[in-house]
Amino acid sequence: MYKRQISSTAKNSQSALNKILEEKTFQVTTYARPSDLCVTRGVNAKLYDDISNKEYIDFTAGIAVTALGHANPKVAEILKEQADKLVHSSNLYFTKECLDLSEKIIEKTKLFGGQHDASKVFLCNSGTEANEAALKFAKKHGINHNPKKQGIVAFENSFHGRTMGALSVTWNAKYRTPFGDLIPNVSFLNINDELTALQDFISSKKNELAGLIVEPIQGEGGIFPIPAEKLIGLKDICSKNDVVVIYDEIQCGLGRTGNLWAHAGLPKSAHPDIFTSAKALGNGFPIAATVVNEKVNNALQVGDHGTTYGGNPLGCAVSNYVLDVIADKSFLENVSRKGTILQKGLLNLKEEFPNEIKDIRGSGLIWGVEFKDAPGPIVQKARELGLLVITAGKTTVRFVPALTIEDEIIEKGLALFRDAVKSTFA
C-alpha cells in the first residue's frame, strides 16, 4: 500500500542547525526535543530526517496517533478532496460529514461490543477537550440531582490531559502543581485497592460525587491494563451510587488493543456512561469525540457546551475513513496478530535481561517494558541506532506503533531495541 518516497536532497548542515536554533528561540519552553533530529517526512511506520539523511523505525506513531501510518495516501486524498469542497462552517449548521461520523461512531461502537447504550456524540479537537466535555457532562448530571454532587474520582497513575479540568484529574504532581489551584473536589484512589475499599469511599461520598474517570489501560502512567473484574466492580459501585462512569480511551481505544474499544468485551453492565476518543480518530488530523448514553444526554441543554472547530467537515471526512478501516474484523484480528509478534519479542528480551527488566505489560499494539531504572539512556541509544520509542511513567518504555506496521518492521525494530538495551547494560 505504501511506496517508499525518494529522499529529497539533504540541505546544508549549517542551515539545519540554524533552523533548530530558531525553534528554540521562538517556541515556548514546554518540550525537551533532541537537537539532532528534525523530522521531514514519513511512510507508514518509518520517519525520515532528510536534513541529516537518517531513517528511523517509528514505534511511537505520534504517541498512538497515526494508527494508519504516516503519509497514508488515502488520508491525503481525502484531505485534498474535502478541502476543495468545505473546510469549516461552524456548529451553527449541520454538515453531512459530521452527521455521518456521529452515526458511524455509535453504530460501529455497538457492532463491535462497545458501549451498548451509546446514544449521542460531541465532536471536538483533542483528547483533553474530549475529557473536559466528559467531566462537564458528568458534573451537570450530578448537579441536576443534587447541587452538591460535583466531585470527581480519578486514579493514581492517571493522565487525562493538560487543560484545567483534565489536568485536575491527572495524577502526576509535576503536571499539576506548577499551576496552583485547579478544580476542587477531585479524589485520587489507588486502582489496585480492593473493591470493598473503593466501594466504601464512593458510597460514603455518594451525595458529593458526580463522576469517576478511568483509563482501561493507563497509558502515560506506565501502560497498566486495568483488570476486567475491577472495571466491572467499579461500574457496579458507581451505578448504585448514581456516579457517572467515564472511560478515557484516547490512547488505548480505536483498535489499539485489537478490539475497537478497550472496554469492548466487558459485560454490558460494565460499559461506561461516557467514553472519550481522540488521537487515532483523525490519524494526525486534530479531532476527538465524547460519546454519551441517553442518561447523560438528558442532563444537557442547548448552550451547555460548545466548540468552534469541533466536528468540522475536514476532520470528519478523515475520521469517517479511519473508522471504516479500523472497525473491520479482519483489520482488528491483524492488529492482535501483530501484537503477538511484538509481545513475544519483548518477553524474549525480558528473559535475556531479567535483572534489568521488571515487567512487560500491554495488549494488541500498546506495550510497556518496565525497567529497574529510568530508561532515558536506552531511548537515546535506540534513536542513535534508528529506532524511535518513548517513555511512560518513570521507568517504562512505551511501544505504540502504527496499527498498519509491517511484520518485518516490527522484527527489525525489536532487534534495534535489543541492541540499545544490550549496549546500555554492557
Side-chain angles (χ1 to χ4, degrees):
M1 181 169 63
Y2 293 89
K3 294 181 179 179
R4 181 184 172 94
Q5 300 177 12
I6 299 174
S7 175
S8 61
T9 303
K11 298 179 181 178
N12 182 273
S13 59
Q14 185 59 48
S15 174
L17 177 61
N18 290 341
K19 285 290 184 183
I20 292 173
L21 290 175
E22 287 174 13
E23 183 270 338
K24 288 184 176 180
T25 302
F26 295 111
Q27 286 203 330
V28 171
T29 307
T30 53
Y31 294 101
R33 300 183 177 102
S35 60
D36 59 344
L37 171 57
C38 183
V39 177
T40 54
R41 61 188 174 90
V43 181
N44 200 24
K46 288 187 177 181
L47 287 173
Y48 296 88
D49 177 352
D50 291 315
I51 296 172
S52 301
N53 197 29
K54 292 182 180 179
E55 175 186 279
Y56 297 89
I57 291 175
D58 180 19
F59 274 6
T60 75
I63 316 180
V65 168
T66 51
L68 302 185
H70 297 297
N72 182 292
K74 185 61 178 178
V75 170
E77 177 185 327
I78 291 169
L79 285 168
K80 171 64 168 64
E81 291 179 352
Q82 185 61 44
D84 282 340
K85 293 192 297 183
L86 183 67
V87 172
H88 175 76
S89 63
S90 86
N91 280 298
L92 297 174
Y93 318 106
F94 289 118
T95 66
K96 184 178 186 303
E97 294 77 16
C98 181
L99 290 170
D100 288 347
L101 178 59
S102 299
E103 180 181 14
K104 189 173 294 184
I105 289 173
I106 298 298
E107 290 185 348
K108 297 291 188 181
T109 292
K110 293 179 178 179
L111 180 64
F112 283 86
Q115 185 183 15
H116 70 284
D117 58 353
S119 174
K120 299 291 191 296
V121 179
F122 175 78
L123 293 171
C124 48
N125 310 287
S126 66
T128 193
E129 290 175 72
N131 282 339
E132 288 283 339
L135 294 170
K136 286 181 68 176
F137 296 168
K139 286 170 73 73
K140 181 70 187 298
H141 178 271
I143 290 169
N144 283 356
H145 290 78
N146 179 346
K148 295 182 179 180
K149 202 171 172 64
Q150 300 184 34
I152 302 292
V153 170
F155 291 93
E156 296 175 11
N157 291 318
S158 64
F159 182 92
H160 299 292
R162 304 280 194 152
T163 50
M164 296 301 276
L167 184 61
S168 298
V169 294
T170 290
W171 165 250
N172 197 327
K174 77 174 184 179
Y175 298 135
R176 289 186 288 110
T177 54
F179 302 100
D181 295 336
L182 302 177
I183 66 168
N185 302 324
V186 173
S187 302
F188 289 101
L189 304 182
N190 188 329
I191 195 69
N192 296 314
D193 283 350
E194 295 292 333
L195 278 171
T196 52
L198 299 174
Q199 180 174 355
D200 288 345
F201 179 87
I202 292 171
S203 298
S204 69
K205 302 282 187 179
K206 66 179 181 180
N207 294 323
E208 303 171 28
L209 295 178
L212 175 148
I213 185 168
V214 62
E215 303 156 88
I217 297 179
Q218 293 181 323
E220 299 289 332
I223 315 298
F224 291 102
I226 308 303
E229 59 269 19
K230 185 61 64 73
L231 294 174
I232 293 169
L234 281 172
K235 179 60 190 299
D236 180 60
I237 294 166
C238 289
S239 295
K240 290 176 179 177
N241 291 279
D242 195 25
V243 174
V244 169
V245 172
I246 304 164
Y247 285 172
D248 176 345
E249 295 232 9
I250 287 163
Q251 183 166 175
C252 63
L254 209 60
R256 179 59 56 182
T257 63
N259 292 312
L260 184 59
W261 304 113
H263 73 270
L266 292 177
K268 292 181 179 179
S269 61
H271 288 179
D273 300 298
I274 305 174
F275 75 91
T276 55
S277 174
K279 287 188 180 288
L281 191 60
N283 202 61
F285 190 93
I287 187 168
T290 305
V291 183
V292 306
N293 60 19
E294 204 60 26
K295 178 180 80 172
V296 174
N297 186 62
N298 287 339
L300 305 176
Q301 296 180 356
V302 172
D304 275 347
H305 197 48
T307 169
T308 297
Y309 299 107
N312 67 77
L314 192 61
C316 290
V318 173
S319 290
N320 272 301
Y321 170 71
V322 170
L323 262 178
D324 283 340
V325 173
I326 295 178
D328 175 84
K329 182 180 178 182
S330 61
F331 183 91
L332 293 171
E333 288 174 347
N334 210 27
V335 171
S336 294
R337 184 188 61 77
K338 293 172 188 287
T340 300
I341 297 172
L342 183 56
Q343 178 189 19
K344 181 180 178 181
L346 296 176
L347 288 173
N348 288 339
L349 191 68
K350 185 178 185 298
E351 289 184 6
E352 187 175 356
F353 298 94
N355 296 323
E356 289 80 18
I357 297 176
K358 292 176 60 177
D359 196 15
I360 306 290
R361 299 182 296 267
S363 176
L365 283 173
I366 175 169
W367 288 92
V369 177
E370 184 179 359
F371 289 86
K372 289 180 62 178
D373 300 306
I378 297 170
V379 173
Q380 179 178 341
K381 186 62 180 179
R383 186 175 71 250
E384 292 171 1
L385 295 173
L387 173 69
L388 299 179
V389 289
I390 49 177
T391 58
K394 295 181 178 180
T395 57
T396 299
V397 176
R398 178 176 11 174
F399 296 78
V400 283
L403 305 184
T404 53
I405 188 171
E406 300 90 344
D407 293 4
E408 62 270 23
I409 301 302
I410 296 176
E411 298 285 6
K412 288 180 181 178
L414 284 167
L416 291 174
F417 188 67
R418 177 190 175 278
D419 290 344
V421 172
K422 185 176 180 180
S423 174
T424 302
F425 296 114

